[in-house]
Amino acid sequence: GTEQSYVLEGNAFQELVYPGASYTLGLGINKSRKIVGWYTGSDGNAHAFLRKGKDYTNIDHPGSDNTIASNINDAGIMIGTYYQNTSGTIHGFVLKKGVYTTIDPDGSIFTEPVGINSNGVIVGFWVDQNQFSHGFVYQNGQFTTIDYPGANNTQLSGINDQGQMVGDY
């Protein structure tokens, strides 16, 4: 069978399908039930979306071939990744009030913001030239790398409003 996305409220399942897309994946939801994720367009590329109620809005980072929205906080700040088909580098982004900000630490070939709390603090991971991953915290325009002691790879996947983080190594 084919993999499908859904929304679950109580005991009710509802399919999550971007209109006309061959594949849709929901990745984040906030308290006001705004959902973000990505879909495969007719061009074969990944395109981010925002769903409010039953209405979908396409979200494409300017100048990129592929955009994936990974999460949204209660203030409507969206995070995700974007990249060109011809480039090996995957960039992280924040979308706040219609303004895109690229978030890449120095030396990154792949940046993936994954979690965002209501204070706008972002966590995720980045990959260096040697293919090692490093967790990060991004706050007020500043990166802090988080590496689990003695581990080759670290990733952060979530942060709550008290600043507690969860991840793996």
Side-chain angles (χ1 to χ4, degrees):
T2 357
E3 186 177 344
Q4 297 289 329
S5 279
Y6 63 89
V7 179
L8 177 61
E9 285 194 49
N11 293 328
F13 287 91
Q14 177 186 42
E15 283 192 359
L16 186 64
V17 179
Y18 191 93
S22 60
Y23 177 80
T24 305
L25 181 62
L27 293 172
I29 187 169
N30 67 12
K31 285 183 184 175
S32 61
R33 299 182 181 136
K34 291 177 182 168
I35 298 170
V36 297
W38 66 277
Y39 68 94
T40 303
S42 58
D43 58 3
N45 292 333
H47 301 275
F49 71 83
L50 169 66
R51 188 183 111 162
K52 296 183 213 174
K54 299 211 182 276
D55 297 326
Y56 288 84
T57 303
N58 179 71
I59 308 288
D60 280 330
H61 189 283
S64 72
D65 295 320
N66 298 274
T67 305
I68 295 172
S70 55
N71 218 328
I72 185 169
N73 73 1
D74 294 334
I77 301 170
M78 196 180 308
I79 58 174
T81 58
Y82 71 94
Y83 60 96
Q84 300 286 50
N85 290 333
T86 57
S87 168
T89 303
I90 297 176
H91 306 280
F93 75 85
V94 179
L95 177 56
K96 180 179 180 179
K97 296 181 181 175
V99 176
Y100 290 88
T101 302
T102 297
I103 56 169
D104 288 335
D106 290 338
S108 176
I109 60 169
F110 181 114
T111 304
E112 186 165 349
V114 181
I116 182 169
N117 68 15
S118 61
N119 303 315
V121 181
I122 298 166
V123 297
F125 65 94
W126 63 278
V127 178
D128 64 28
Q129 303 287 339
N130 298 316
Q131 303 297 313
F132 292 117
S133 65
H134 308 272
F136 74 79
V137 178
Y138 181 79
Q139 182 175 17
N140 300 323
Q142 298 297 314
F143 268 97
T144 302
T145 294
I146 307 290
D147 285 326
Y148 192 90
N152 288 330
N153 295 289
T154 303
Q155 297 183 357
L156 289 172
S157 54
I159 184 168
N160 66 16
D161 290 344
Q162 290 73 43
Q164 296 168 315
M165 296 171 256
V166 64
D168 62 271
Y169 68 94

